[in-house]
């Protein structure tokens, strides 16, 4: 009987001692992972800020087929939240508490595990770098007594368990963003009439591969010139192709803006005035990155050939940029119209 009492006493001492030891352990933790994603800050921020996008790349859903998601009415910005239930992964919720557009996001994550409920801070930091955006995803907080006790008997610490998942999540995020940015669509809208009109332009010659790079700077220069001289712009910028030499991989093209009326410029002006007649054209629309423009042109010319149309001898083909980098950082949202004059 005395031995039994001694054993109980020893067990009690062991429990008290272990409890004291666990209580004195530092429960503070911080888990952080960083990755450079080949995308603009704005695109990365919008992907993370919209909580419905998370199911495309967060690493936990793939580990639990029974996970059920529920979203709040607001799923982006401050106050947005969603929760999940899963017998395998446990229950939890995440709420966006603070947003600094295109730079940082702060969130609160609540986890309902077997050893009790815990609340910790999740944070995102976005920094523009040469190759895209450096994304830092982290979580920090303080483990409860039960959490510290539970991890005493595990082979992995909390950081060791979570770090690979954060790394996997950022890899998934990068792949999801690049996939969405690559989405494009081409439609040949058919024959229509373009009204033409006066326009202001500058002209240059370049390799075909350099057109996209040069035309952006040229359009900016024309817009600045027109603003400085109080000249009204009509519609969107466009590029007029004066000559195209496929064999030499070269082109002569003009970047331009339409104007309501003819503008007489000084002889030394770097920007000139031109006129485009009202003409019949085949219109083609590209929604997506400019990298897909060649395919759009090919489809436009295929339509012309299939319908036995004749190209205009005097008309010059042109592209109108309805939505471009100045309006959206996501190439999938860029909208370009191609016009090819026909007889």
């Amino acid at each position: 009987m005395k031995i039994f009492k001694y054993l109980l006493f020893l067990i009690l001492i062991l429990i008290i001692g272990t409890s004291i030891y666990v209580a004195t352990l530092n429960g503070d933790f911080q888990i952080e992972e960083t990755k450079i994603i080949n995308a603009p800050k704005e695109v990365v921020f919008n992907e993370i800020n919209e909580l419905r996008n998370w199911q495309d790349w967060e690493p936990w859903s793939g580990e639990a087929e029974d996970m059920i998601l529920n979203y709040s009415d607001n799923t982006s910005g401050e106050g947005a939240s969603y929760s999940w239930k899963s017998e395998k992964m446990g229950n939890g919720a995440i709420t966006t508490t603070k947003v600094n557009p295109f730079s940082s996001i702060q969130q609160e994550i609540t986890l309902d595990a077997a050893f009790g409920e815990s609340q910790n801070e999740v944070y995102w930091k976005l920094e523009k770098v040469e190759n895209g955006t450096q994304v830092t995803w982290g979580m920090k907080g303080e483990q409860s007594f039960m959490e510290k006790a539970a991890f005493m008997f595990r082979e992995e610490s909390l950081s060791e368990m979570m770090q690979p998942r954060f790394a996997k999540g950022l890899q998934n995020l990068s792949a999801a963003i690049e996939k969405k940015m690559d989405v494009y669509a081409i439609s040949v809208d058919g024959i229509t009439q373009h009204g033409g009109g006066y326009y202001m332009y500058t002209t240059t010659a370049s390799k075909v591969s350099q057109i996209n790079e040069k035309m952006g700077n040229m359009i900016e220069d024309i817009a600045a010139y027109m603003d400085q001289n109080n000249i009204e712009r009509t519609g969107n910028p466009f590029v007029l192709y004066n000559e195209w030499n496929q064999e030499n991989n070269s082109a002569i093209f003009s970047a331009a803006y339409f104007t309501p009326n003819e503008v007489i410029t000084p002889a030394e002006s770097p920007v000139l005035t031109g006129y485009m007649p009202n003409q019949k054209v085949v219109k083609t629309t590209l929604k997506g990155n400019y990298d897909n423009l060649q395919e759009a042109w090919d489809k436009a010319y295929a339509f012309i050939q299939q319908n036995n149309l004749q190209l205009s001898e005097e008309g010059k083909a042109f592209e109108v940029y309805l939505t471009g980098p100045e309006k959206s950082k996501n190439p999938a949202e860029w909208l370009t119209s191609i016009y090819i004059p026909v007889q």
Side-chain angles (χ1 to χ4, degrees):
M1 189 68 179
K2 289 183 178 181
I3 295 175
F4 182 69
K5 289 182 179 179
Y6 285 138
L7 287 175
L8 288 178
F9 183 67
L10 288 173
I11 293 172
L12 181 61
I13 291 175
L14 181 62
I15 293 173
I16 294 173
T18 302
S19 298
I20 293 173
Y21 173 75
V22 171
T24 58
L25 289 175
N26 183 9
D28 293 342
F29 71 90
Q30 183 168 6
I31 305 159
E32 189 174 277
E33 193 68 29
T34 299
K35 180 177 177 58
I36 294 177
I37 295 179
N38 185 22
K41 280 175 58 175
E42 293 82 354
V43 175
V44 178
F45 174 87
N46 290 335
E47 177 70 22
I48 299 168
N49 190 42
E50 173 51 63
L51 297 182
R52 287 188 179 274
N53 293 334
W54 284 45
Q55 60 184 317
D56 296 333
W57 46 264
E58 53 87 3
W60 295 281
S61 295
E63 300 179 16
E65 297 180 355
D66 66 335
M67 187 172 286
I68 299 174
L69 304 178
N70 289 294
Y71 296 92
S72 63
D73 292 337
N74 174 31
T75 57
S76 65
E78 295 181 6
S81 67
Y82 82 97
S83 61
W84 61 90
K85 293 183 178 180
S86 168
E87 291 186 8
K88 183 176 180 180
M89 299 299 295
N91 303 333
I94 192 162
T95 302
T96 301
T97 56
K98 186 176 181 180
V99 170
N100 186 8
F102 313 131
S103 296
S104 64
I105 297 173
Q106 293 181 17
Q107 298 168 321
E108 181 180 80
I109 185 169
T110 301
L111 300 174
D112 185 9
F115 38 77
E117 184 179 279
S118 65
Q119 290 184 335
N120 300 296
E121 179 186 341
V122 173
Y123 58 90
W124 297 85
K125 297 177 183 177
L126 309 180
E127 181 181 355
K128 182 180 180 180
V129 294
E130 182 178 357
N131 297 323
T133 304
Q134 180 173 285
V135 182
T136 300
W137 184 18
M139 183 171 73
K140 60 184 179 180
E142 182 178 0
Q143 289 179 288
S144 66
F145 176 87
M146 293 300 295
E147 288 173 319
K148 290 189 289 184
F151 275 97
M152 279 185 61
F153 302 100
R154 293 191 178 186
E155 294 181 358
E156 292 180 316
S157 67
L158 177 61
S159 296
E160 290 171 337
M161 183 181 71
M162 296 295 291
Q163 200 87 30
R165 288 173 174 168
F166 274 51
K168 181 180 179 182
L170 287 180
Q171 183 64 38
N172 293 346
L173 174 64
S174 178
I177 289 175
E178 290 184 11
K179 182 178 180 180
K180 291 179 180 179
M181 288 174 60
D182 286 341
V183 172
Y184 72 98
I186 297 170
S187 63
V188 179
D189 306 316
I191 300 173
T192 187
Q193 200 76 17
H194 190 277
Y198 288 103
Y199 60 90
M200 302 199 72
Y201 70 97
T202 61
T203 300
T204 192
S206 76
K207 296 293 184 182
V208 172
S209 59
Q210 298 175 331
I211 291 177
N212 287 346
E213 178 183 352
K214 287 192 173 185
M215 66 98 170
N217 295 330
M218 292 168 66
I219 288 172
E220 289 181 1
D221 291 343
I222 296 170
Y225 177 89
M226 296 177 75
D227 291 341
Q228 291 168 4
N229 292 275
N230 297 317
I231 301 172
E232 183 180 353
R233 301 198 299 266
T234 302
N236 298 284
F238 66 97
V239 163
L240 186 69
Y241 291 98
N242 305 300
E243 292 183 17
W244 188 282
N245 192 319
Q246 194 68 39
E247 293 182 0
N248 294 334
N249 191 35
S250 63
I252 299 175
F253 67 94
S254 301
Y257 271 102
F258 283 108
T259 59
N261 305 293
E262 181 180 10
V263 177
I264 307 300
T265 58
E268 68 277 8
S269 172
V271 178
L272 304 176
T273 298
Y275 180 76
M276 181 186 296
N278 185 309
Q279 57 191 332
K280 182 186 293 184
V281 295
V282 169
K283 179 184 176 184
T284 301
T285 301
L286 165 67
K287 185 176 183 181
N289 199 315
Y290 298 146
D291 294 343
N292 304 297
L293 274 170
Q294 185 59 57
E295 182 180 346
W297 280 93
D298 290 344
K299 288 189 175 183
Y301 280 115
F303 175 87
I304 290 172
Q305 184 176 10
Q306 292 165 3
N307 290 273
N308 297 317
L309 300 173
Q310 298 295 319
L311 297 176
S312 170
E313 295 181 359
E314 298 181 356
K316 299 173 182 178
F318 58 100
E319 296 169 348
V320 179
Y321 308 105
L322 305 176
T323 304
E326 74 288 346
K327 294 181 180 179
S328 173
K329 298 299 182 181
N330 187 352
E333 298 177 355
W334 297 352
L335 199 63
T336 307
S337 292
I338 297 172
Y339 296 90
I340 302 177
V342 294
Q343 296 180 8

